[in-house]
Amino acid sequence: MNDELVPLSELRRAIDVAFSESMNDVSLHRFLASRAKTMHRSIGFADGDQVELLQQFVHRYIKQVPDVLDHFHKISVAAGVESELEAFLNIAIDYFLQPLDITASHRGLMKIMDAAYLAHRLIEEVNDRFMSNAGVSISPIDNTEDNVVMHFLIGETLANELDLAVHYSVEMLISQDALFSKHSLMLYVEAQKCSQKKARESDDAKSDNAVHLALLR
């Protein structure tokens, strides 16, 4: 597998086309307006128009996907597990290029929104496996809270079906014994843990210096 993940350019084009075709489509705005009325109180809003804020959130959520997948790919290469994780990248991209039948009723950004949720949830699930088995993250962002918001926006019934599809893919494709015992991954994990320890020690040193300087004033 090359360093450059070629299908990502196709994914970016698909997202750009969806945004371009939906430029004058008000269906997403209407949908979000209806959802905003029933938002759970635990989901807070900044000051401003709630529907506009939700629309901005959805746009960012969708546009993040290619960059998140690109980072995921580069980490898998660095850890020497690109062949084991390539299938997940292909599945995430296929969510956009070959949407699941259960999202067939949606069009435009609504369909892309479903695909983005699937991709983000897939990365979240794989990352959770890495965190629990290796103690390191392979995702550039913590998208857990964003996924909770998107789960609500999509709707409990469909979102649960999409979650099930993601869970099935992860269970089918990850062989934990083979993946997490791979020597290259073990070396990568140790290097990451060492780097994180040095970063923490550096932060502690800075904090100590700050305290001493404060006492000298």
Side-chain angles (χ1 to χ4, degrees), residues 74-93:
K74 289 173 180 174
I75 292 296
S76 71
V77 172
V81 291
E82 64 271 26
S83 60
E84 287 83 358
L85 299 185
E86 183 178 9
F88 291 104
L89 290 162
N90 290 333
I91 288 173
I93 292 170

Side-chain angles (χ1 to χ4, degrees), residues 7-17 63 65-67 70:
L8 277 180
S9 59
E10 192 174 352
L11 172 58
R12 293 184 196 277
R13 281 195 298 272
I15 291 174
D16 288 342
V17 168
K63 290 179 177 180
V65 172
D67 291 335
D70 187 42

